[in-house]
Amino acid sequence: MSISGKAIPNPKNLHGTSDMTPLPNIDTFDIYNYLITFKEQYLHRQLKDYKNLDGYQLYEAGYVENVELIREVGVIGYCLVKFLVKPKQRKEDPLNKTPFYKGWIVLDTTGPSIYSAYCACKGGTDGGCRHIVASLFEIAE
């Protein structure tokens, strides 16, 4: 993956901290602005009632775990947040055979805004799955 033409290291190989205090504030408006770009998945009326989203309900139920902030990704003005989300209906991620869905979110710290995201689930490669949504709400908290 690259940001502004600069490659960043593989997030799997990066280790961070659970201390989120250096992270700029991300709020529901930032999450809305990011998710509304997925026009086929999220409509304005769904996002207006965001507490009914699957991702928000995963967040509320405590499925998000082990959120890590990585401040140094090799590109000034960006940071990365890694996350784990427990599957809601299975014992493990069926693709990777692990007890969590693993993913990451790239944040623009000058905005702040959500630059991109990825989850290892089937629907997460485009950056808009419910595990990413749950993790965004966890970060916003």
Side-chain angles (χ1 to χ4, degrees):
M1 180 178 68
S2 67
I3 301 171
S4 302
K6 294 184 179 183
I8 66 166
N10 185 338
K12 292 179 185 178
N13 301 329
L14 300 175
H15 300 286
T17 176
S18 61
D19 179 15
M20 295 288 153
T21 53
L23 191 65
N25 289 335
I26 299 294
D27 59 25
T28 52
F29 295 110
D30 298 311
I31 297 170
Y32 173 89
N33 287 335
Y34 176 71
L35 294 178
I36 200 68
T37 64
F38 299 95
K39 297 196 184 317
E40 292 180 20
Q41 285 177 278
Y42 300 102
L43 303 172
H44 171 70
R45 68 178 173 271
Q46 291 172 301
L47 295 174
K48 188 176 175 185
D49 192 18
Y50 67 90
K51 291 185 178 182
N52 286 326
L53 294 173
D54 286 342
Y56 186 83
Q57 292 175 2
L58 284 173
Y59 152 72
E60 276 285 297
Y63 281 78
V64 181
E65 295 188 6
N66 200 32
V67 178
E68 290 183 8
L69 172 63
I70 297 129
R71 289 188 279 183
E72 301 294 326
V73 294
V75 180
I76 295 171
Y78 291 87
C79 66
L80 190 132
V81 177
K82 290 173 47 173
F83 63 83
L84 299 176
V85 178
K86 293 185 290 188
K88 188 175 181 180
Q89 299 172 341
R90 298 183 169 103
K91 290 184 180 180
E92 62 183 22
D93 168 4
L95 297 174
N96 299 304
K97 308 294 185 214
T98 59
F100 295 96
Y101 290 105
K102 298 176 183 179
W104 45 261
I105 301 164
V106 177
L107 300 170
D108 179 347
T109 58
T110 62
S113 65
I114 301 151
Y115 180 78
S116 67
Y118 168 82
C119 179
C121 76
K122 271 203 288 192
T125 56
D126 70 354
C129 74
R130 64 184 171 185
H131 310 109
I132 291 169
V133 173
S135 299
L136 286 170
F137 281 109
E138 182 73 25
I139 293 167
E141 181 188 282

